[in-house]
Amino acid sequence: MKVLKSYQVILTGVFFILLTAGTMFGQNYRMDNSSEIIIEGTSNIHDWEMKATSKQGGATITTEDGKLTGISKLQVTVPAESLESGKSGMDKNAYKALKTGDHKNIEFKLDEVKKIEANGSSYKINGLATLKISGVTKQVPVAFTAKLNGDKLEINGEENLNMKDYKIDPPTAMFGTITTGEELTIKFKSTFSK
């Protein structure tokens, strides 16, 4: 009889834990094809941009009472040769600068969330991430906004970087008469679905 009561107490405790913590389990999301990743830069002639036509990624988040409480995983991979400007000559020069023959992908991985701050229906996230471009890996500070919209997780932001930090020589064209600036802006408007 004592054994039966012990089992009842244990089962009641487990059921209570599952009931109260059910919303705190990790929820997995996969990046939608509609997500946008754009790289913007400058040259001595005009500004330019390249869009990622292929990308994949995933996120794992925790919520409590419908509110975002943590991001345990956020990863995005972009095939370097999926970046397109609409000008084949420029694309070819960019792929050469990125050494795409040896380094096929650009990879982003969120390492640590330092702060989540609610701002109305969205959240401001600050943290550290690892960014791998052209075979060079660096940890960088990141800031972006996140929003939960039904079964969707929307992540938006932009980051600046210097090509030289990733050992990329800024591309040139027309025998060096057209030169690009070292500074780039990466803009992302990504949607992840359960």
Side-chain angles (χ1 to χ4, degrees):
M1 192 70 165
K2 284 184 179 178
V3 172
L4 183 60
K5 283 192 174 183
S6 296
Y7 280 132
Q8 286 176 329
V9 169
I10 291 170
L11 287 173
T12 302
V14 169
F15 178 74
F16 180 75
I17 289 169
L18 290 174
L19 187 66
T20 57
T23 59
M24 296 178 66
F25 289 124
Q27 300 169 53
N28 295 317
Y29 291 77
R30 182 176 291 183
M31 179 179 265
D32 291 353
N33 289 332
S34 63
S35 298
E36 291 183 355
I37 298 173
I38 299 171
I39 299 174
E40 295 180 346
T42 61
S43 75
N44 61 333
I45 303 292
H46 54 72
D47 294 348
W48 54 270
E49 73 173 31
M50 299 184 85
K51 293 183 180 180
T53 57
S54 176
K55 76 287 282 181
Q56 62 182 16
T60 302
I61 67 167
T62 51
T63 60
E64 188 171 356
D65 298 326
K67 298 186 185 304
L68 180 68
T69 57
I71 302 176
S72 58
K73 180 183 118 178
L74 179 60
Q75 293 178 299
V76 176
T77 300
V78 175
E81 291 192 2
S82 78
L83 295 171
E84 295 182 2
S85 66
K87 298 176 182 175
S88 60
M90 181 178 168
D91 295 349
K92 186 177 176 183
N93 288 333
Y95 303 155
K96 182 178 176 183
L98 289 168
K99 307 175 189 80
T100 58
D102 295 321
H103 309 291
K104 302 292 185 191
N105 295 320
I106 296 169
E107 299 171 9
F108 170 92
K109 181 173 79 69
L110 185 66
D111 296 325
E112 178 186 354
V113 173
K114 291 188 172 285
K115 186 177 181 183
I116 298 178
E117 182 180 340
N119 184 12
S121 63
S122 65
Y123 303 85
K124 185 176 178 183
I125 316 291
N126 291 90
L128 290 172
T130 297
L131 186 59
K132 184 177 181 182
I133 304 174
S134 192
V136 177
T137 302
K138 287 191 165 294
Q139 191 173 62
V140 294
V142 291
F144 55 89
T145 59
K147 185 176 182 179
L148 292 171
N149 189 357
D151 286 343
K152 305 278 188 185
L153 170 67
E154 299 168 359
I155 293 178
N156 299 306
E158 65 179 64
E159 294 292 334
N160 297 318
L161 63 85
N162 189 304
M163 285 190 253
K164 294 284 191 181
D165 292 341
Y166 294 87
K167 299 183 179 175
I168 300 170
D169 292 323
T172 61
M174 300 293 290
F175 306 105
T177 58
I178 300 175
T179 57
T180 55
E182 295 178 13
E183 298 291 330
L184 298 176
T185 300
I186 301 175
K187 296 183 176 180
F188 47 94
K189 185 177 181 182
S190 304
T191 303
F192 297 76
S193 298
K194 280 187 183 180

